[in-house]
Every structure is written in C-alpha cells, then in structure tokens.
Amino acid sequence: MSLQVVLRAGRAVRGRLPLSSVCHGARAVHGAALRSTGRRSLLVAAGAAVTAGLVAGYGHLQRADMASVDHGEDLDRRVAAFMAPPVTELERLRRSGGDMKTRMELLIMETQAEVCRALEEADGGAGFTVDRWQRTEGGGGVSCVLQDGNVFEKAGVNVSVVYGYLSEESIQQMRSRGKDLKTKDDWGHGQPVLGFGEEFPQMGPHRTSIADGAVETGPRGKLPFCAMGVSSVIHPKNPHVPTIHFNYRYFEIEEADGNKQWWFGGGTDLTPTYLNLEDVVHFHQTLREACDQHNPGFYPKFKKWCDDYFFIKHRGERRGVGGIFFDDLDSLSKDKLFQFVKSCAKAVVPCYVPIVNKHKNDSFSPEEKMWQQLRRGRYVEFNLVYDRGTKFGLATPGSRIESILMSLPLTARWEYMHVPPPESREAEILNVLREPKDWVH
C-alpha cells in the first residue's frame, strides 16, 4: 500500500493523475455557515465549521504527530494528503520520526495542503499549479500557485526545506538581531563534528559523511544550516476581501564548536483594503485562542511584535491590521514551541476563509478597485525593502527567486501624492494603519 500511495502522488505532481485522485480524502468540509453573512454569530459559526472540518479530516495526522513515523501506514496516509511528495526522501523521514526537522517538515506539508484545498473550494474555479523543485546546494521545495481564479487574483502557498552553508550576508543579518554565531577561519579542521552530515549527505564536497567515522571538514568561515517553513500570501480580486500572509518556520545552525542553535519563527497577518471591524475582530480572536492554548501572554506579546515588524518606515504606516509575529523562539522546549506553532498553523483557515466567503460576492466600484491597487503598492514596498524572509531568501545561494517573489501581487499601482478625502473609508483605514488598535479586549 505504501509504495502505491507514493507512486500515485509522484504521478500526480508530474501531471499523470489529478491531485484529487491522490488526496480525495483530505478535503476540508465547508458547510452553509461559510456562506456570506453580515452577522458576527454566523462568522464565528463559519470559523467553527472550518475548524471542525479540519479536525475531522486531519485528526489522524494530529494523532500521528507525537507518535513515531516509523509506522508505515501512518506516514503513508499523511503523505497521501500532501499536494506533492515531501522534499526529504520518505525512507529518511521514516527513520527519523522523532527528530524535530522531520516533524516540522510533515507539519508544513500538511498546512500547505489544508490551506490550498480550502482556498480552491472558496474560489470555486481555478486550482493550484503544483511545482516541486530541487535546490542544487541542498534541499528543495513545493510551490503551489493559483492565478486568475474566480475569487483570487494570485494565491501562493510555498514549502521549502533547504540546507547548506549560510552566506556571510545571512550571518551578519542574524547577528544584527542578537544571534551569537561562532565561526572559525578554518571551521572544523581536524575535529569530528557530529552535525548535519549524516542527515543531509548532499551538503557538498566540503563535507564528508560521519557514518563511517570519517572526520568532517567544512569551507572556511562557513556555518552549516537547515531551514524549513511554509509561507503564503493570498491576493483576492475583490477589494472587500483582505489579503492574508502567514509563515511558520524552523531553523538549525551548527556552530564551529559543534554546538547547534535552533529556533522557531512565524506569524499570520491581515491586510484589508477597507476596514470591516467584524472581520478584524474575528481574525484576531481566532489567533488569540490559538495562542491562549499555550500561554495567555503569547497573543499580546506577538500582536505588538507584529504591529512593530510590519511597519513601513518611509510611509509611517503599518502594512495591515496586524495579527501575530514572532522569531528566534527558543526559550521553551522544542516540543512545547512546536505544539504552539502547530496551533497557529491550524488557525490559518478558520481565521481567514470565513471572511473570504462573506465578502467574495460583494459589489465594488472602479474607485474601490483603484484604492486596492494603491494599497498593494504599499505591500510591495514592505516586502522588497524590509521583509526579513525576502532578504534571507535573496541572500541564500541557489535560492528559487520565483518562489521568493511569489508574495508580490499580479497588479499594483503608484500615484504621485495620492491623498484620500478626509472622513472617507480610505482615510479610515489609513488612520488604523498609523495607530494600531487593540481588537479583542
């Protein structure tokens, strides 16, 4: 059975089978509560319905998470629900079921599938193009992109699992935010380093496998790393449907003395063109509930971090109405932080899809569409000038530029000295972006 599942998934990616034939059992169930309403109670019900559908459809995945993935059928069922086979070889995942890199890779692949299928259902027309790619320097990814659908102009959900050596620019970027990374001019020379060699034997000619007791050496001044994450930006056509971004990631670095540093990062944030208080409260409340399962202090801390991070300094305004954002999380155990990240990832669909279904058929004017294009221009400015993930991706050798720039919309607009009329709905959202608000207290 396991070989059949994997082969069918591979054929689906290459276009020989529809993805639905591989993953038919994984579609989230969306009921009537997801249809457009103007009432808070139905919006909450819609979120609950989505959550229930995900729990029902993916309950076996959650139960399997804490168990070892050595059990063939459990792993095969999880892989069958993915949009494509995982980046890491199946047998390697099976052998390393308790390792955090394995657990995280399975989580991000599951998150990608959940979000893609929920968006396909909301769109009702276009499907995701699935692009599985390899990185010469180590690792690869799965890019899923939907373009010019009924509801979404461009929706991308990317998974990447990459490893190799950090560039000097990336090392300096990490040090600038407080990371103490030890390097040596001749890293590891003559010293056995029990690191990534066993796990990623393709790290390059400078490293040798330690499986046979060989001594490891590395290029001068370089640090081996492994990074994996799921990242998404959804740009809808209707200006009354907000844009959403989310990213959840895990990072490991091996220092010159063999010590490993690790951390989690991520977040989910909303960028509406027009302010709808009910939508924003629903969005923030869903994220708060996900955070509160683990620590009541997480939401206020990470909400403020989000407001501060997504600040377009040269404009004096935030990119959107916030959400949560965190990085360099390593203060608790790996397992506790992984469970927190998992809860946040599972909250993406219920915090967003009900809002999409509520507004996707709303009428809009040419003037409202133009304002959406102007706000997208701000989105582009932040992503290209300030975004940490974009900078890291562009500085990493062998990066896949198409996947990194997937976050950019198909269309945007810049007008010289555009100022909306006072007391207009356009001015209303600008006031919120300049002065962040507390949405759930």
Side-chain angles (χ1 to χ4, degrees):
M1 172 188 171
S2 62
L3 183 58
Q4 271 188 326
V5 170
V6 176
L7 289 178
R8 284 169 65 83
R11 290 198 296 274
V13 174
R14 294 190 294 271
R16 300 178 188 174
L17 283 174
L19 281 167
S20 58
S21 70
V22 182
C23 309
H24 63 279
R27 285 197 174 274
V29 178
H30 303 286
L34 286 180
R35 295 189 172 85
S36 176
T37 75
R39 301 181 61 181
R40 168 71 180 160
S41 59
L42 289 185
L43 186 59
V44 173
V50 174
T51 304
L54 291 175
V55 169
Y58 291 91
H60 68 281
L61 302 180
Q62 296 181 3
R63 290 191 298 272
D65 172 64
M66 291 305 294
S68 171
V69 294
D70 306 90
H71 306 298
E73 290 193 9
D74 281 347
L75 182 58
D76 292 337
R77 283 199 301 271
R78 300 179 81 176
V79 171
F82 297 166
M83 300 298 285
V87 177
T88 304
E89 295 175 3
L90 198 61
E91 289 307 311
R92 187 175 296 277
L93 292 174
R94 203 184 306 277
R95 291 196 303 268
S96 58
D99 184 81
M100 184 53 68
K101 292 185 291 296
T102 294
R103 295 172 67 189
M104 190 65 182
E105 181 170 352
L106 294 177
L107 173 63
I108 60 180
M109 294 293 296
E110 289 165 4
T111 301
Q112 181 185 56
E114 291 174 5
V115 173
C116 286
R117 293 194 178 89
L119 294 176
E120 283 181 337
E121 186 163 339
D123 189 88
F128 278 88
T129 298
V130 180
D131 183 11
R132 193 172 188 272
W133 49 273
Q134 297 292 320
R135 176 174 174 266
T136 303
E137 291 78 1
V142 178
S143 296
C144 297
V145 179
L146 183 157
Q147 288 190 162
D148 201 23
N150 294 333
V151 174
F152 303 109
E153 182 177 285
K154 185 180 180 184
V157 189
N158 285 344
V159 160
S160 62
V161 179
V162 298
Y163 49 89
Y165 297 99
L166 288 176
S167 67
E168 184 61 31
E169 183 177 348
S170 295
I171 293 173
Q172 293 305 318
Q173 181 186 343
M174 292 176 183
R175 283 175 171 161
S176 71
R177 65 176 199 260
K179 287 292 179 187
D180 181 17
L181 301 176
K182 306 183 200 63
T183 61
K184 291 182 181 178
D185 287 341
D186 191 8
W187 178 85
H189 182 68
Q191 300 294 323
V193 179
L194 304 181
F196 297 130
E198 277 185 325
E199 302 157 43
F200 304 116
Q202 300 174 357
M203 283 189 70
H206 295 285
R207 289 183 71 82
T208 58
S209 173
I210 63 175
D212 56 0
V215 172
E216 290 255 307
T217 60
R220 296 171 65 88
K222 297 291 185 179
L223 290 175
F225 81 97
C226 174
M228 58 192 65
V230 57
S231 180
S232 175
V233 178
I234 314 300
H235 293 291
K237 289 183 172 180
N238 193 312
H240 299 297
V241 179
T243 289
I244 191 175
H245 157 262
F246 72 87
N247 176 292
Y248 293 99
R249 58 194 178 272
Y250 176 70
F251 215 102
E252 280 190 12
I253 292 178
E254 184 181 323
E255 297 181 274
D257 58 3
N259 179 57
K260 284 186 182 179
Q261 289 199 39
W262 59 267
W263 64 88
F264 291 91
T268 304
D269 62 280
L270 196 71
T271 304
T273 302
Y274 290 97
L275 180 65
N276 183 297
L277 182 60
E278 181 179 285
D279 296 344
V280 179
V281 170
H282 165 79
F283 177 81
H284 276 268
Q285 185 62 38
T286 306
L287 294 180
R288 180 187 178 184
E289 290 168 1
C291 292
D292 285 354
Q293 295 177 41
H294 304 273
N295 187 320
F298 277 175
Y299 171 77
K301 178 180 179 180
F302 299 150
K303 191 266 185 191
K304 183 181 185 307
W305 200 339
C306 186
D307 290 335
D308 293 342
Y309 177 77
F310 290 105
F311 182 61
I312 309 172
K313 297 178 184 177
H314 60 274
R315 297 288 189 180
E317 61 193 45
R318 275 76 188 166
R319 189 176 74 177
V321 295
I324 57 172
F325 175 86
F326 54 88
D327 205 357
D328 301 324
L329 286 194
D330 59 3
S331 57
L332 300 175
S333 70
K334 280 186 183 181
D335 184 65
K336 286 183 177 180
L337 290 175
F338 173 78
Q339 294 302 327
F340 165 63
V341 167
K342 181 177 178 180
S343 293
C344 294
K346 296 295 181 184
V348 169
V349 171
C351 80
Y352 181 61
V353 172
I355 299 174
V356 173
N357 285 297
K358 176 182 170 184
H359 294 292
K360 65 183 181 182
N361 296 318
D362 288 1
S363 61
F364 57 89
S365 67
E367 292 76 19
E368 289 171 328
K369 186 65 179 178
M370 187 189 74
W371 178 245
Q372 180 194 52
Q373 298 294 296
L374 291 169
R375 294 313 307 168
R376 282 183 179 174
R378 298 290 203 269
Y379 206 95
V380 171
E381 290 175 26
F382 178 86
N383 281 29
L384 294 182
V385 176
Y386 300 113
D387 186 68
R388 189 179 294 175
T390 301
K391 288 182 177 180
F392 174 79
L394 295 177
T396 301
S399 292
R400 195 168 188 272
I401 303 303
E402 287 296 320
S403 296
I404 295 170
L405 299 182
M406 171 216 69
S407 63
L408 302 181
L410 283 182
T411 58
R413 184 182 181 97
W414 285 264
E415 285 193 10
Y416 182 71
M417 297 296 289
H418 183 276
V419 179
E423 309 303 323
S424 66
R425 294 197 66 203
E426 291 78 11
E428 178 187 34
I429 189 68
L430 278 183
N431 290 335
V432 170
L433 300 179
R434 290 167 180 158
E435 296 291 337
K437 298 187 181 302
D438 183 349
W439 302 103
V440 294
H441 291 98

